[in-house]
Amino acid sequence: DAGVTQSPTHLIKTRGQHVTLRCSPISGHKSVSWYQQVLGQGPQFIFQYYEKEERGRGNFPDRFSARQFPNYSSELNVNALLLGDSALYLCASSLGLADYNEQFFGPGTRLTVL
Amino acid sequence: AQSVTQPDIHITVSEGASLELRCNYSYGATPYLFWYVQSPGQGLQLLLKYFSGDTLVQGIKGFEAEFKRSQSSFNLRKPSVHWSDAAEYFCAVLKTSYDKVIFGPGTSLSVIP
């Protein structure tokens, strides 16, 4: 079975631009969570979507938004990019809503903002 | 404030030697505890988890971890390290079933032949 997939693998943008990152969960998983991992740090929670509804939001500015589609895939959008948005963005899927359900992570999208 | 600490930023061990990676948390009650591994260019993979019961838990790839309530610790161990174990290791804590997982800063493991 395919694991969690993310696209693109790498992305280079300039300050002020907009970016869209995509995630396809494991088949049958209804929960998708997004994390930001800055170099040298652990992942930080951005959003969780379950059954196409936002179920959790981390401490990130409104420039960050996300959505989940009927097939449970998800997009993360970041507007007005800042240099500090440079990071590895991870998507994780799980069967259930609660975080004690095992989360399966994708390989991530490496975003570089110049 | 909720906190997960991993005191060792980087550890180097020889292949075949034993390994212990430290993790401490600052909650009053017993949280849900996890260890993840991240190999270069890859996402995180769950090694093991502790929710309740036996304080020594076994995971994949020969790893184990021990929960010690008195020390608020959940240290990861492996008796004999392989070169393929070189990676970044993250301890993670879930305070209650209604909260979100919080990851520690990670420990980078290097293995020398």
Side-chain angles (χ1 to χ4, degrees):
Chain A
D1 286 340
V4 177
T5 59
Q6 294 186 243
S7 63
T9 305
H10 295 88
L11 206 50
I12 299 175
K13 293 286 189 178
T14 57
R15 282 176 295 175
Q17 285 189 310
H18 162 91
V19 69
T20 297
L21 311 180
R22 296 177 174 83
C23 171
S24 291
I26 291 172
S27 178
H29 286 191
K30 298 180 179 180
S31 172
V32 171
S33 295
W34 287 95
Y35 294 84
Q36 181 194 64
Q37 186 179 15
V38 173
L39 196 63
Q41 297 182 20
Q44 286 205 337
F45 171 73
I46 309 175
F47 285 110
Q48 182 187 21
Y49 276 76
Y50 181 77
E51 287 282 20
K52 302 177 284 293
E53 291 187 3
E54 182 183 304
R55 294 304 195 101
R57 174 186 282 257
N59 188 25
F60 281 81
D62 292 344
R63 299 184 295 107
F64 288 76
S65 63
R67 56 179 175 169
Q68 187 176 35
F69 299 98
N71 66 353
Y72 301 109
S73 67
S74 178
E75 283 183 356
L76 175 69
N77 295 284
V78 187
N79 293 322
L81 285 167
L82 303 174
L83 295 179
D85 295 331
S86 295
L88 180 68
Y89 288 84
L90 296 167
C91 171
S93 76
S94 63
L95 279 171
L97 174 61
D99 273 11
Y100 55 71
N101 293 288
E102 181 173 354
Q103 295 190 73
F104 294 82
F105 285 81
T109 294
R110 172 73 63 188
L111 171 65
T112 301
V113 182
L114 302 177
Chain B
Q2 304 172 5
S3 174
V4 184
T5 57
Q6 294 180 247
D8 304 304
I9 296 174
H10 185 260
I11 285 181
T12 300
V13 299
S14 298
E15 192 168 17
S18 63
L19 171 70
E20 182 169 27
L21 302 181
R22 297 182 290 164
C23 172
N24 294 94
Y25 62 91
S26 60
Y27 302 111
T30 300
Y32 301 89
L33 298 161
F34 308 83
W35 273 100
Y36 284 86
V37 60
Q38 184 178 33
S39 298
Q42 298 187 22
L44 280 72
Q45 181 183 22
L46 181 67
L47 287 174
L48 47 78
K49 60 187 177 184
Y50 173 78
F51 289 175
S52 64
D54 192 346
T55 57
L56 185 63
V57 294
Q58 302 297 320
I60 62 172
K61 304 185 179 187
F63 285 93
E64 66 178 27
E66 185 173 12
F67 167 62
K68 292 186 177 180
R69 181 192 300 272
S70 61
Q71 299 177 18
S72 297
S73 69
F74 188 56
N75 294 349
L76 182 71
R77 301 194 295 246
K78 187 169 185 178
S80 178
V81 171
H82 188 263
W83 64 265
S84 61
D85 293 324
E88 190 84 16
Y89 290 80
F90 294 95
C91 179
V93 176
L94 179 62
K95 185 179 178 183
T96 73
S97 60
Y98 302 102
D99 288 301
K100 307 308 297 178
V101 169
I102 295 176
F103 288 86
T107 296
S108 176
L109 174 66
S110 295
V111 181
I112 54 177

